[in-house]
Amino acid sequence: QVQLVESGGGLVQPGGSLRLSCVASGITFSRNVMDWYRQAPGKELVLVARSTTGGNTNYADSVKGRFGISRDNAKNTVYLQMNSLKPEDTDNYYCHTRLFVTDFWGQGTQVTVSS
């Protein structure tokens, strides 16, 4: 059974930092592409960052230079380091992976950027 469990969200002031974590189980983690998505209420999921099995990373234009995705294959964990946070970064953030043709999502962690 595949499970993704996120943590690390919270309330932070503009310009601050947060680090999100996602622990995966039920998959061969090192062989899976791992993503972070965001979603505002009533809106579609948006890809924020991707970590490929080959060590490559991809980012949405809105977060380039501010966010960093990394993974620790020994801990089955993917991280999203979020720096220079802005109020518009406020959203629910979800960890995602795909196994064959099935998508798996974590429960989400809320990030609120506000003074």
Side-chain angles (χ1 to χ4, degrees):
Q1 181 181 0
V2 178
Q3 283 193 319
L4 303 174
V5 180
E6 301 107 331
S7 62
L11 173 64
V12 63
Q13 292 187 341
S17 298
L18 283 174
R19 189 177 80 155
L20 307 183
S21 300
C22 171
V23 180
S25 58
I27 59 173
T28 305
F29 184 81
S30 60
R31 297 180 185 175
N32 274 65
V33 173
M34 301 299 300
D35 305 314
W36 284 100
Y37 280 79
R38 60 192 291 181
Q39 186 178 37
K43 296 192 175 181
E44 294 185 351
L45 286 157
V46 176
L47 180 64
V48 176
R50 170 165 290 167
S51 171
T52 72
T53 57
N56 294 319
T57 56
N58 303 101
Y59 297 95
D61 287 343
S62 61
V63 306
K64 282 180 181 176
R66 299 188 300 122
F67 290 12
I69 188 170
S70 61
R71 62 195 296 160
D72 185 336
N73 289 338
K75 295 182 178 180
N76 284 9
T77 302
V78 61
Y79 303 97
L80 185 68
Q81 179 65 43
M82 311 167 71
N83 299 325
S84 302
L85 281 161
K86 304 175 181 181
E88 52 263 43
D89 295 320
T90 296
D91 263 338
N92 225 349
Y93 285 74
Y94 295 89
C95 182
H96 166 268
T97 193
R98 176 173 290 181
L99 189 62
F100 301 112
V101 296
T102 304
D103 291 303
F104 294 93
W105 300 89
Q107 81 283 0
T109 185
Q110 177 68 37
V111 172
T112 302
V113 185
S114 175
S115 55

